[in-house]
Structures are given as C-alpha cells and as structure tokens.
Amino acid sequence: MTSYVLKIKLISPLTSAAGEGRVGVVDTEVAFDDLGLPIIPGRRLKGLWRDAYRDVVESWQQCGQDTTSVEQIFGDSGQGTHDGDACIHIANAELKNTTSLKEWLEYLQHDKVRKLHPDDVVQHYATVRSQTAIERLTGSAKENTLRLTRTLKSGLVFWARVNFNEITPDPALLNALALGAVSLKYMGTARTRGLGKVNCQFLELDPTGKVKSLTPQLNTNCLPPIKSTVLSKSVHKPVAKTTNTFKTNPQKPTHILHYRFKLITATVMPASDGDPNTVVSRQDIPGSHLWGIAAWCYLNEGSHTASDPVFRNAFLNGGLRFLTAYPEAIDNQQRLIPIPHSIRKSKIDDQPCNLADQTSPYEPTKRFDRHYAKFGSGGIETQSVKTERNYHHARATSDRRKGRALGAEVPDGGALFTYQAIQPKQTFQGAVLGSESDLTNLKTWVQSPKAVHIGRSRSAQYGEAEFEWIDDVPQELTHIVEWEGFTISQAPTNLKKRLIITTLSPLLAVNDGGHPIASFPVQELVNALGLPEATEPELISSFTRTETISGYHTHLRLPRQQWQAIAAGCVFEFKLEQDLTDEKLLELERNGLGLRKGEGFGRIAVNRQNNLHLGSKEKPLDDPGNTNFPKRPEAEIPPDLLEILKQLVRTYCVEEMQKYAREIADKLAAAHKIPRNALLGRLRLFLRHEKPVESLEKLRKPAMEQLTNYQINMIECPFFDLPNQQTLFDIFKNAWSQPELFTKGLVKSKVDDLATDFDETIHIGMIQTLLDNDSTKLCDDFLNYLITTLRISRQRRSK
C-alpha cells in the first residue's frame, strides 16, 4: 500500500511552542511527547500547509489557471461528507526512524528503572535562549523583561504521515500538495527573527519502503499544473453477487460481539462541559462512533442505500445496539465499568463501602479518584483514563500576512483555545448486541483490524485509532450480559420485594410532554416488568448524578440536540409489593431502559449490588508500583540514545565538579588564603592559552606563594583521582596537564550507573569517548567556575 509523508528539515532553530512554560525553567516550551521526543503538532502543520498552498493557488489563478481549491483539499470548518471536507489527515510530525529509540526510552524511563527522565531527552534536542527588551533611550535591558525560550536544534528531520480519506490521489492532487509543501518555508514562533526556517518535501513511500520525492520536478523551468481535479470518493457500486443482509424486523438482542479501539494518537471525545475556549473530553468512546463506521461500511457494500428497510431496522430502529467502549483493564484486558455512585470509601481508613447495601455502616465517605473499576474476588480494582491538554490558537482571518493570533480584543484576531484529549496507547472495549445473523453480517461489513478516525479534529493530529473485533463469532448472551466481573452470581438475584438498578451507561428519558428530563422512567420500568399500574414501585433511596449528552450530525454538519441525562453509575433502590422472577429481571437487564438504545444508552444492572466484593482497600490497576519489571528491548541501541546518555553524563560531571569547586572556595575563604583578584584574572587568561601549564609554571615567586600556601584535603572529593593533599597550584596543573585522569572517576561513575543494561563493549566505548572528547572542556569549565567562585568569596570577605 502506497503511503505519503511530509518531510520537514530544520534549517534554523525552531520553537514549536507548546502553549505553556515551566516556572523557573523556560517561559516558552516546545511541544514534545511523553518520552521527551520533540514533535510538531499536526493541526499546526495543516494550517501552515493550507496557507502556503493558498498563496500558490492565488498566484496560479492570477495566471488564468483553474486550480484545486483550498477547501477541497484541506477542508472547511466542521466535518461532513460533501466536497468541502478535508480529503487528507495529517499526523503529528515526529523524528525520523525513532522506533527503536522509543523502545529504549520507554524502558529506561520506566518507574522501576528510572535511568532517564523526559527532560534529559528534551535537553538533547533543544537549547534554551534568553532575551530581554531594550530601553530605547539608554540602550540597556529593561527590568523584568528577561524571558527564556526553548528552541529545537537545526538539522533535525521530522516526518508527518499524510493519509487520504476515502479517495485515491491523482497526479494533479499530488502536484498541488507538493507545491504547497515546497512553499512552506517558515513555521513556529519568532519566524521573522531568524527562527523557524524549514525545508519541506512531499514524499511517496511504496510498499517496500522505498522513498520517492514528489518535488524534484518542481525545480524545472516548467511547474506542473495544479488544475482542478475531481476527488473520487468511494461510491456505492452494485455488485453481481448476492450479499448477506440484516433481518428486516428488529428483534430483542440474543447475542453479543465484543470490539476494541486502540488509540494511536490523542483523541478528543467532546463533552458538554468546560468554557467556550476549552473542549473537555469524555473518558469513554460512545457507541455512536462505531454506529457511524458500521453504517458507512454497510452503505458502501453493493447497492445499499440509506432508504433500505434493512438499514433503517438495523441502524435506526435498534436492530443493532452499539454499546459504549469503556477502558480495558491493564492486567487482563477485561472491560471495566463506571464505578456506581453508591460505592464510596471511608474518609477515616479509605475502606470501600456500598451505601446501597443496608448492612453497610454509615460514616463520612468520599468518592473514588478513579472512575472505572472491576469487581471480583480481589475486591474493587480501579483504573483511570489518562488525559492531556493541548493548546491551539486561531490565527488572524482578515489579514493572513500577520500569520499569528492577535488576541480576542482585535476583530478577527483569533483566539487561544484548549483541547483536552485522551492520551494515546490506551485501549477501550465495547460490545454490539443483536441477533446472531445480524452480528455475523456486521463482521462482513466492518473488517478488522481497521484504521479509523474518531472524535473531533480527526483530519489533523487527533483521532487515529485501530479497530478490531475481539470475538471470532457472536457469543450467546449469558446471565452476566456484557459486564464481566460485575458479579460472581449467574443471574440477577431476587432481593425479596427490593429492586436495585444501576445505570451502566447514560440513561435518556422524556416527560409526558416528550421533552428530555433527567429523571428515572418509572412508568417504562412498570411496563417492562409487567406490573399493575396500582402497584407502582416506591423509590426508597438513590445515588445520582446528571450529565449533558450532545453530539454532532456528521452528514448534516449540525450539532445534535443536548439532553439532560442520568449519568452512568447512578443507583436507584425501589420497594415492590411483589417478588419478581429471575427471568423477568434478566430480560429487563438485557433490554435496558430509555431512548437511543441503539447507541448504547440505557444499559442497566439489576439487583447486582448485594453481590459485590469490595475488599478492605482499593487496588489501583494503574499504580506504577504494581507493574512488573520491564523487559529489556531486543532492538539494537540507537546512536541517538548513546548521544543522549553522553550528554547526561556531561551534565552530571559539570554539576559535581561545580559542587566541589564551591567546597574548595569555602575552605580557602575560611583559611583566608584566597589569591588576589589580579592573580585570579591572570589564571582566567591562562585558560585561553594553548599551553596553560607553561604559563602557570612561569609565575613569579609572590604569585606562586599565593597558590601553594594552603593544602586542600581532597579526600572529600572521591571522584578526583588525585593525592589526598593538593594546593591550588596542583589542582590547576593537574586539570590542565592530565584532564583524562582528573575526570575519569566522575565519568566512569555515571556511565556505570546509566549503562548497566548495555554490552561491555558499548560501556567501555562510552567512557573512552567521553574522556577523549570532553575531558579538557570539563576541566576548563571547572577551573573557570572555581575562579569565579573564589572571586565572589573574596568580595564577600572584603565587605
């Protein structure tokens, strides 16, 4: 399969800002992933590529050429299925060929290894620049204007994957994208001040991995055309063979088919919370996403249309029920459930308790920090969904020459906004309910594994996932239904005229007038159980929360109606006047309550609360302390990793040598033996000489006496391979004449600590390389810092 890549080479340092800084470290931080590897966010690449291509289009149009429009390639606001949608998806740009590097970084940064920190990786690929504002009248720096900016080093090469959505690109489209890529010359902040110059190329990768550049032809005198092209999306073509179809009449679900989403990139599942400039993400994947994927696949098979009775019965009338995908347990890949709101933990000893259980003692309680759990013989085992926040801004719309956000106070100036997203590499498991034949046919439409795009902003940076079916064939619904581990009993228990209902997904209900209401549908419950109207169940207690359910009609490009719903995890306890059979309870549990059951809403558990085993303590599944010791990667150690480790050793040596320089200065100050400033100045000049030892030995007797009149105890400096007693003259002479011997102990100590998992050859080679290349500079830095510290100590003494 042919794939495409946008190659970005940094000609000058680049600040791909992350939208935030670190107090005391940098004011403007670069964007990097959780391992510390730098990235260029896909949304920014899409916007920059779009603007660069627009400039090319305007030039061609002035020459009377008919061109492919910007909206036709990069899309317009919103997402739909018409010609104005984006035909490409742009992923985050990452460093080229970092697969083995990521494996090693994950291993070395693991909580049980802790050899590296993401900051160590960031410092290898980036540097920190300082700048101030200048006072025009005096030419000096203004007060309180110092700011620090981290910039990526020049020469780095990034690759961003480019996928075409439902189309096969033709030469005209590829030429258009190649022209736009070549026109992209600058990116990042401060691009008008020497930063952010880049060289971009649009590349094609064949199935064998061979790279073909689509841009060399642009160097000829005749540029290729970017004439208007028809983007041929998938169309419904009739087929001669007879295909399986869904049953015409929807039936009650009898079988189940489990599925899994594995997130490849961060994914935004927008909820109705947050402020106007913040998009808060749900912590699950609603069933409507698989509903849309399945419907699209069905309509692209044979001559199917949306007006078919099969389509309406299967996707609109509840013949198939696409349940919400919740997080998958880390330890055994079991589907987790939202923690019922009746289950709390004591504020005194953190012991879990179930307030819906009449035998549980009442005491001050609090909610769990994590929102999902499984219940079994091991008690309550909880797990959280990891999220991240990314900052974006809309640039000026009225004047593209400004190329940046101007602030909300400027008309059409753009605004800063934030996306909360689910972090990648997490898996979510859901299920589809229906008849055996319907589920079998569903697997023929939606093949697995399948690359899909879900959530918001899925045309750039977000929403890449891999979909797969877990079950080979549909499984018959058992007494446990779709919720493994919720109880150890095999059927809902008759609690003798008590009914406890737990919502396992949001429940949508309406009042008598047909308007949405966040209230339990008692009348529907009565009808489902077949109870006489005069024996309406009495609500004894409830543990509830509400949430707003919204969504987006992709094919209409319109938001869906917002519903106030009963949230997942709510518990309702009713008192009945008669006992119910286990079959009646099981049927109620299978069918659920409320509206839009086909999208996974209204799933409930009936009379399961009294069978829960909570244990004495909460057991977090994602606690780093509970994870196994990681396995050492089998991949060959990449050169970049060795360079990162070498830089870490250099940083460690500088810090340790500066520490001992301060101790030496303190000892000389306490003995009143600090050399005079004139001599310290001459020593600093010696640092610039090619033969500093000869200059040191030619000092006259008075100067020599200042350097030899005090013996310094070096026992407290165990890394320096020097005699126990040293004068200041000996320290300078040894550092200049024997730099490798002077730093060998420090270098070997840190390399031994970092390279325990490396082969002996690599281990010894790292030490020797550092000694050969860095010993002299380390000694010079040490002596320079020592001179500065001695001068400061002398000034303090004189005061």
Side-chain angles (χ1 to χ4, degrees), residues 580-645:
L580 298 174
T581 62
D582 292 346
E583 290 76 13
K584 206 69 174 177
L585 296 176
L586 181 59
E587 183 180 359
L588 172 64
E589 191 174 62
R590 285 185 178 181
N591 292 330
L593 295 171
L595 303 178
R596 292 167 58 179
K597 297 177 184 177
E599 299 175 42
F601 295 107
R603 304 306 303 167
I604 59 175
V606 181
N607 287 358
R608 305 279 186 172
Q609 292 277 347
N610 284 27
N611 295 316
L612 300 181
H613 294 268
L614 302 181
S616 58
K617 290 289 183 181
E618 172 192 5
K619 299 179 180 179
L621 293 173
D622 50 1
D623 186 356
N626 296 333
T627 58
N628 296 325
F629 195 87
K631 184 180 179 181
R632 180 184 182 276
E634 297 180 357
E636 185 178 352
I637 300 174
D640 276 4
L641 178 60
L642 294 178
E643 293 301 322
I644 292 172
L645 294 177

Side-chain angles (χ1 to χ4, degrees), residues 169-241:
D170 59 10
L173 177 58
L174 295 178
N175 288 336
L177 289 172
L179 274 172
V182 172
S183 302
L184 180 52
K185 295 295 185 181
Y186 292 92
M187 61 176 59
T189 61
R191 66 185 75 168
T192 60
R193 301 184 179 183
L195 298 182
K197 187 175 182 180
V198 297
N199 185 323
C200 298
Q201 287 183 303
F202 190 47
L203 307 178
E204 177 183 288
L205 304 179
D206 63 16
T208 63
K210 186 178 179 180
V211 178
K212 174 186 176 182
S213 176
L214 300 174
T215 55
Q217 54 185 319
L218 304 180
N219 297 326
T220 62
N221 295 328
C222 180
L223 294 178
I226 55 172
K227 61 184 179 180
S228 180
T229 178
V230 178
L231 303 182
S232 55
K233 294 189 177 182
S234 299
V235 295
H236 308 151
K237 298 179 180 179
V239 293
K241 65 177 183 179

Side-chain angles (χ1 to χ4, degrees), residues 36-38 95 101 118-127 150-153 156 639-648 650:
L37 294 174
L95 293 173
L101 177 60
D119 285 348
D120 301 326
V121 184
V122 173
Q123 292 173 9
H124 174 70
Y125 293 103
T127 58
R150 199 187 300 274
T151 60
L152 299 179
K153 298 177 180 178
L156 296 178
D640 276 4
L641 178 60
L642 294 178
E643 293 301 322
I644 292 172
L645 294 177
K646 290 175 185 177
Q647 179 170 326
L648 185 59
R650 296 185 193 103

Side-chain angles (χ1 to χ4, degrees), residues 420-439:
Q420 183 192 46
I422 304 174
Q423 290 185 4
K425 301 179 182 179
Q426 298 183 83
T427 55
F428 293 78
Q429 187 180 140
V432 184
L433 303 180
S435 65
E436 182 177 12
S437 59
D438 288 351
L439 293 176

